[in-house]
Amino acid sequence: MSRIPFYLLVGVLMLTGIVMTVYRHVEFDVPWTPGEQREVWEVEAQVNFFANGEPVKVNLALPSHQENFRVLTENTASSGYGLSFLDDDSGRRAQWAIREATGSQQLYYSVQLLVAPDAESPAVQPPSIPQDITWERPFDTAAEGLIGRAHQQSADAFTFARELIQDLSGDRQDENARLLLNRFDRSSLLVRLLNQAGIAAREVDGLMLEDGRRRQTLSSWLQVFDDEGDWVILNPATGEQGRPDNLLLWEASGQPVLEVQGGTNSRVSFSMLKHNEPAAVAVRNQLMNNTLLNFSIHSLPLEEQSLFKTILLIPIGALVVVLLRVLVGIKTSGTFMPVLIALAFIQTSLFTGLVGFLLVVAVGLVIRSYLSHLNLLLVARVSAVIITVIAIISLFSVVAYRMGLNAGLTITFFPMIILSWTIERMSILWEEEGPKEVLIQGGGSLLTAVLAYLAMNNPWIRHVTFNFLGIQLILMAFILLLGNYTGYRLLELRRFKPITED
């Protein structure tokens, strides 16, 4: 029978698992290793205004995902105000409203921003260029003079904008530049000159992030587009091209940052603070948004997340069992009993778990040997063993507590039904094969359980199995490949030792 479909299945599982894992790391910044730190900025905007005793509506522009930054969480504080978040072509905005307000008012908005160097800006549509740009005399002549000079000294939209800024700055200012600057604001003047030259541009507002700064204001920047839709950020004061790493674009659609209806003397100021957070915490809210490609345990309640954090380790234990049984040839009492014992070791600690396991099994075998003389039916005998195991665990827990050994209380995490069947199997094996075989299988089970515990309790393995569900498909592919192995086991090779001696 052809094995091609089998290897195709293994390849699909492996490839799918790798793609899902890499996608979550690249797209959602989930770290490969536990304990990684991420830089997070907390920015608070405080809106102040004086209400006139009438209905009030306040619109504040909000930042969104952009180059170098991802929005993590948002919070507001606005006593008595209704709040809505609006998202349209003009960008994201918070809108507060109240039927009546009088006197000084304060509204607060805070946002946590993850520093993500691989984050990209969303697609940006260039603004439309006004067709009827008119100037009063003599400003029209001055504008034409500046545009003509910059056109001669540039090659494209971006170099044109840089030259225009230089002509309005420093020693290169001429009479035309000074005339226009006396009449118009620098940033709005640059946008108007660029539009007259047929170049799409707009004024955007950004916040320079500096740790521990308070009562900061937004600064104006110039966003210039070329004919192909590409854009750059320019400093309207110096002409420097490029976006600084610590520049957060707060309003990037050319709309007002703050609009207040029903109030006067409005202003907005910003405070900011930088700190580091564990990477898993910093990106957790991104993992809450489940999509087909972002299938995440993080969307579940915390109680279920804690449960799955343990369940997702079982395939690791299963892989250890398959490796030791298929490739090494270690015998165990029960196929996956060592995995369940390893899970109990995770709850109890390794030393406490080993001592508890040996005590329960040893006492259980003694009692089971007595039950064998009663000639009971299988179901009744196993039920009696289960009750015996429960009694043994209860007794040991009480004795440990009375002796001040609180670690002994964790013995209750052992799977009682599995322990009961283990005692039953070992007792039958003792009667049929003798104590040597019991020691071989019991020792193999304990060795497998310890190795599975060491693998499952590894911090890196616990991290990747919980945060990258694609790992489960990769484990499945490996186990299927191991299941196809039909060669010698390592422990079987000792049969050929006399050949090597000869």
Side-chain angles (χ1 to χ4, degrees):
M1 184 177 178
S2 174
R3 303 295 293 173
I4 293 178
F6 170 77
Y7 290 113
L8 283 177
L9 173 62
V10 171
V12 169
L13 288 174
M14 183 74 71
L15 182 61
T16 304
I18 292 174
V19 169
M20 289 177 60
T21 302
V22 174
Y23 176 82
R24 281 175 61 79
H25 171 71
V26 173
E27 185 68 18
F28 300 100
D29 201 27
V30 181
W32 291 120
T33 58
E36 288 189 28
Q37 298 287 313
R38 290 290 186 270
E39 189 176 296
V40 175
W41 283 94
E42 290 193 27
V43 181
E44 181 185 80
Q46 178 180 346
V47 178
N48 294 274
F49 64 95
F50 189 86
N52 300 327
E54 57 187 70
V56 174
K57 186 162 65 174
V58 179
N59 284 281
L60 176 68
L62 303 181
S64 58
H65 297 305
Q66 55 190 273
E67 184 180 354
N68 293 333
F69 298 102
R70 290 198 182 113
V71 176
L72 292 181
T73 59
E74 297 176 294
N75 295 287
T76 61
S78 50
S79 177
Y81 282 79
L83 174 66
S84 300
F85 289 97
L86 309 178
D87 193 354
D88 51 30
D89 295 338
S90 62
R92 299 177 61 247
R93 309 185 76 83
Q95 185 177 87
W96 290 273
I98 191 171
R99 181 62 62 180
E100 182 179 354
T102 304
S104 179
Q105 305 289 308
Q106 291 85 34
L107 306 175
Y108 295 91
Y109 165 83
S110 63
V111 60
Q112 278 195 336
L113 299 156
L114 172 67
V115 177
D118 58 338
E120 298 180 357
S121 297
V124 178
Q125 295 297 326
S128 58
I129 301 175
Q131 299 299 319
D132 52 347
I133 301 177
T134 58
W135 304 81
E136 300 176 358
R137 290 186 177 274
F139 301 113
D140 55 349
T141 305
E144 291 174 0
L146 285 175
I147 292 174
R149 179 177 173 180
H151 186 270
Q152 291 294 327
Q153 298 175 344
S154 63
D156 54 24
F158 302 147
T159 56
F160 178 88
R162 290 202 304 266
E163 289 298 320
L164 195 59
I165 294 173
Q166 293 294 334
D167 288 341
L168 293 175
S169 306
D171 297 336
R172 290 179 56 174
Q173 281 189 12
D174 57 12
E175 294 180 355
N176 292 332
R178 287 190 289 270
L179 177 65
L180 291 171
L181 288 174
N182 288 332
R183 179 65 169 81
F184 301 97
D185 174 73
R186 173 183 290 269
S187 297
S188 59
L189 172 62
L190 285 168
V191 171
R192 193 170 186 182
L193 291 172
L194 288 168
N195 288 339
Q196 183 170 340
I199 298 173
R202 63 182 160 211
E203 183 181 355
V204 296
D205 295 284
L207 181 65
M208 297 298 294
L209 298 177
E210 298 180 51
D211 189 22
R213 299 300 297 270
R214 301 171 60 244
R215 298 177 182 175
Q216 301 298 296
T217 57
L218 299 177
S219 55
S220 294
W221 296 78
L222 206 60
Q223 188 178 39
V224 181
F225 295 79
D226 63 9
D227 295 336
E228 298 178 358
D230 296 327
W231 58 272
V232 297
I233 294 292
L234 294 171
N235 189 325
T238 64
E240 183 179 355
Q241 180 174 323
R243 174 179 173 173
D245 292 337
N246 63 332
L247 175 63
L248 172 67
L249 293 182
W250 194 272
E251 204 294 314
S253 59
Q255 301 297 318
V257 174
L258 177 64
E259 295 178 304
V260 177
Q261 300 178 19
T264 57
N265 298 327
S266 61
R267 65 186 184 278
V268 58
S269 60
F270 300 85
S271 302
M272 61 207 76
L273 187 67
K274 180 176 69 173
H275 61 87
N276 291 324
E277 285 188 3
V281 176
V283 302
R284 181 171 294 164
N285 80 302
Q286 299 177 75
L287 305 179
M288 296 289 289
N289 300 323
N290 255 9
T291 63
L292 181 62
L293 295 178
N294 185 28
F295 185 75
S296 172
I297 298 297
H298 292 80
S299 60
L300 298 175
L302 288 179
E303 184 177 355
E304 280 69 24
Q305 288 188 41
S306 179
L307 176 63
F308 271 98
K309 202 165 190 176
T310 301
I311 291 176
L312 293 173
L313 292 173
I314 293 178
I316 297 293
L319 179 62
V320 173
V321 171
V322 173
L323 286 171
L324 293 179
R325 293 194 56 148
V326 174
L327 297 184
V328 181
I330 291 179
K331 295 181 179 180
T332 61
S333 179
T335 306
F336 290 103
M337 184 271 287
V339 178
L340 299 177
I341 300 302
L343 286 174
F345 287 168
I346 291 176
Q347 304 294 331
T348 63
S349 81
L350 183 58
F351 177 76
T352 304
L354 282 173
V355 172
F357 177 81
L358 292 174
L359 286 175
V360 172
V361 172
V363 176
L365 284 174
V366 173
I367 297 176
R368 170 60 178 79
S369 65
Y370 169 74
L371 293 176
S372 63
H373 296 293
L374 301 180
N375 296 323
L376 300 177
L377 295 175
L378 174 63
V379 175
R381 188 171 67 243
V382 174
S383 299
V385 173
I386 292 174
I387 297 174
T388 301
V389 168
I390 294 174
I392 294 170
I393 291 177
S394 301
L395 178 62
F396 286 165
S397 298
V398 172
V399 171
Y401 179 74
R402 290 295 182 89
M403 295 177 63
L405 302 175
N406 293 333
L409 299 176
T410 58
I411 197 174
T412 55
F413 286 105
F414 277 110
M416 298 178 186
I417 304 298
I418 300 300
L419 280 179
S420 303
W421 272 107
T422 300
I423 293 171
E424 175 70 17
R425 288 170 57 90
M426 286 186 174
S427 180
I428 295 175
L429 190 64
W430 189 300
E431 296 172 356
E432 296 179 352
E433 303 289 341
K436 180 180 178 181
E437 191 65 24
V438 172
L439 290 176
I440 291 175
Q441 292 194 17
S445 298
L446 271 185
L447 175 62
T448 304
V450 170
L451 294 178
Y453 161 80
L454 294 176
M456 296 162 67
N457 204 42
N458 181 276
W460 183 81
I461 290 179
R462 294 172 69 91
H463 172 79
V464 297
T465 53
F466 182 66
N467 290 285
F468 300 96
L469 293 185
I471 296 293
Q472 306 298 320
L473 299 181
I474 297 175
L475 292 173
M476 172 71 81
F478 275 121
I479 289 175
L480 290 178
L481 285 176
L482 291 171
N484 198 41
Y485 177 75
T486 57
Y488 288 109
R489 296 173 175 85
L490 290 178
L491 294 181
E492 292 176 341
L493 298 180
R494 60 184 176 181
R495 295 184 300 168
F496 299 98
K497 185 178 181 181
I499 299 177
T500 60
E501 293 176 351
D502 294 340

